[in-house]
Amino acid sequence: MVHAVVIGAGVIGLSAAIRLQEEGHQVIIVARDFPAPFETVDAQLQINYTSPWGGAHNRWVLPANPTEEKEHQMALITYERMMQLQKTQPDAGITPMPGIEYLEAPSPVYTSLTEAKASSLGLAGFRFLRPEEFPDSRVKLGFTYDTWCVNPMVYCSFLLRRFSIRGGKVLKRELRDPAELFSLKELGRVDVVVNCSGNGFQDENVFITRGQTCLVTNYCPATVTRQNADGSWTFSVPRNFDGGTIVGGTKEPNNWDSTPSLAVRKLLLDKFAAAYPPILGKDGKFTVIKDIVGRRPTRKGGMRLERERIHDGKSIIHAYGLGGRGYELSWGVAQGVINLLVEDLQSSKVVAKL
């Protein structure tokens, strides 16, 4: 049995901690922020705690290179786990829903897509939309598939409860370096640290991506994404479980402004209403709950998922920098952590024999 400490109580940290428990290891989560009910979360005060405000859904990204293929496999692992959890734990905050995509200028990886190809990629329920199902003539390609959406505050609280009831412990602490944990006496024995901190601790490749979204009461029966010809996006993520619907579409690298813009809110809502008019309902308008600004920790070159040997034979497993794909890759990344831990244990045995 390994004594592991996981840094971070976002969706990646919580998922990794539970997978470690499932493998029979003893786990402690150390984090600055922990899941809390919607009513108690201050979006601006906890702006660097991304998971409660994430667009928690699965949007299939068709793989066009080896990195995207690896991420697609992680998304498939996550999809299977989410479907299993939804069936066995209806209180987990997961809802199976259709995913709808509209593309104004589809790239070759999309124009070459066939239903047979979609099936081989594991896209259940895939169907091309007919032109009469498009919102307007600018859309050149559309399709739908089976997917899931999550109410992140319900889901992350569920994961933390599951972790706790299985014997997991938590410590609220702000850290300067992952190696610090090997010296904290209150933790006792620490064999390995799993760094799910999001920002990576002074990783020069990590930057924040500002995203403004608007939470509305309007119900949307699907998670809808529209890729516009100018490169911009508009999307909705229904939260369900009385969580409203997120409407978004902004990605602003290295913008640290934490104040929501009313002009951006209007743009987001107008664009999505045009992309999916049924969202307006009988009243023909949005009912806004709040505007939200989040900072997605993004990494040049993609996520960091690797192990690092430090002093005295100790190891740190890094799992961070997923940008806006934390939820949809979460269980796949957690499995990656397990695989790296197995490699680490095997290499330790080899060194011991030598």
Side-chain angles (χ1 to χ4, degrees):
M1 178 177 67
V2 167
H3 291 246
V5 177
V6 174
I7 302 172
V11 66
I12 300 297
L14 293 167
S15 303
I18 288 174
R19 279 296 289 117
L20 287 162
Q21 282 185 325
E22 291 172 349
E23 295 297 315
H25 304 306
Q26 183 172 309
V27 189
I28 299 174
I29 297 176
V30 178
R32 179 192 58 206
D33 300 299
F34 284 91
F38 164 82
E39 292 79 8
T40 65
V41 176
D42 186 318
Q44 284 194 283
L45 184 64
Q46 294 179 280
I47 190 172
N48 294 312
Y49 184 37
T50 307
S51 286
W53 299 110
H57 70 145
N58 175 63
R59 174 187 167 265
W60 294 115
V61 176
L62 302 186
N65 56 56
T67 297
E68 290 179 353
E69 178 57 42
K70 289 180 182 178
E71 292 180 353
H72 183 69
Q73 295 305 314
M74 292 180 180
L76 289 171
I77 291 171
T78 305
Y79 180 87
E80 183 177 348
R81 184 66 180 253
M82 288 294 195
M83 292 298 98
Q84 178 189 25
L85 276 174
Q86 192 276 328
K87 289 177 182 176
T88 59
Q89 302 288 335
D91 60 333
I94 306 163
T95 306
M97 301 192 83
I100 298 174
E101 299 213 21
Y102 303 121
L103 294 85
E104 291 187 8
S107 65
V109 72
Y110 284 92
T111 55
S112 63
L113 183 64
T114 64
E115 291 190 355
K117 176 66 173 177
S119 178
S120 71
L121 290 170
L123 279 62
F126 182 89
R127 177 179 71 84
F128 284 109
L129 298 176
R130 300 180 301 276
E132 57 267 30
E133 296 178 274
F134 299 166
D136 55 59
S137 60
R138 294 192 303 277
V139 173
K140 305 306 179 188
L141 178 67
F143 47 85
T144 182
Y145 46 69
D146 297 339
T147 189
W148 50 265
C149 290
V150 159
N151 182 316
M153 295 182 194
V154 174
Y155 180 66
C156 287
S157 295
F158 162 80
L159 292 181
L160 183 59
R161 287 196 306 272
R162 171 164 281 205
F163 171 76
S164 179
I165 201 68
R166 293 179 174 183
K169 301 185 183 304
V170 301
L171 175 64
K172 192 175 180 66
R173 179 71 64 90
E174 189 161 4
L175 303 170
R176 288 184 175 271
D177 191 286
E180 186 180 339
L181 294 170
F182 291 110
S183 303
L184 283 182
K185 296 191 183 303
E186 60 259 55
L187 295 177
R189 171 182 157 191
V190 178
D191 300 317
V192 64
V193 168
V194 182
N195 176 19
C196 303
S197 60
N199 60 19
F201 295 96
Q202 294 82 51
D203 184 333
E204 62 183 13
N205 291 315
V206 172
F207 61 96
I208 62 100
T209 301
R210 182 185 186 274
Q212 179 172 328
T213 60
C214 187
L215 182 63
V216 299
T217 64
N218 303 59
Y219 176 70
C220 193
T223 174
V224 181
T225 303
R226 177 168 178 157
Q227 300 181 45
N228 301 311
D230 63 2
S232 64
W233 298 66
T234 183
F235 65 84
S236 73
V237 182
R239 290 191 154 189
N240 303 301
F241 292 82
D242 294 324
T245 299
I246 289 285
V247 175
T250 66
K251 293 181 180 180
E252 301 173 89
N254 298 310
N255 184 343
W256 292 86
D257 186 1
S258 63
T259 304
S261 161
L262 292 179
V264 171
R265 174 212 283 184
K266 184 177 187 309
L267 184 64
L268 292 174
L269 297 184
D270 287 350
K271 279 190 171 184
F272 190 73
Y276 195 77
I279 187 72
L280 297 176
K282 294 180 180 178
D283 296 334
K285 64 180 182 179
F286 285 105
T287 301
V288 174
I289 301 174
K290 66 166 58 180
D291 300 294
I292 304 156
V293 171
R295 292 175 181 158
R296 309 177 186 106
T298 312
R299 189 170 184 271
K300 297 175 185 176
M303 78 176 85
R304 186 182 184 191
L305 183 58
E306 63 181 9
R307 62 189 177 97
E308 175 189 6
R309 281 278 183 167
I310 59 171
H311 57 81
D312 298 328
K314 300 292 187 181
S315 292
I316 299 174
I317 295 175
H318 298 283
Y320 65 84
L322 280 80
R325 302 197 70 193
Y327 281 90
E328 61 191 290
L329 303 183
S330 55
W331 291 109
V333 173
Q335 184 58 48
V337 168
I338 298 301
N339 296 343
L340 289 170
L341 178 59
V342 170
E343 289 179 12
D344 188 64
L345 294 175
Q346 290 174 342
S347 64
S348 297
K349 290 179 181 178
V350 171
V351 171
K353 287 180 180 179
L354 294 175

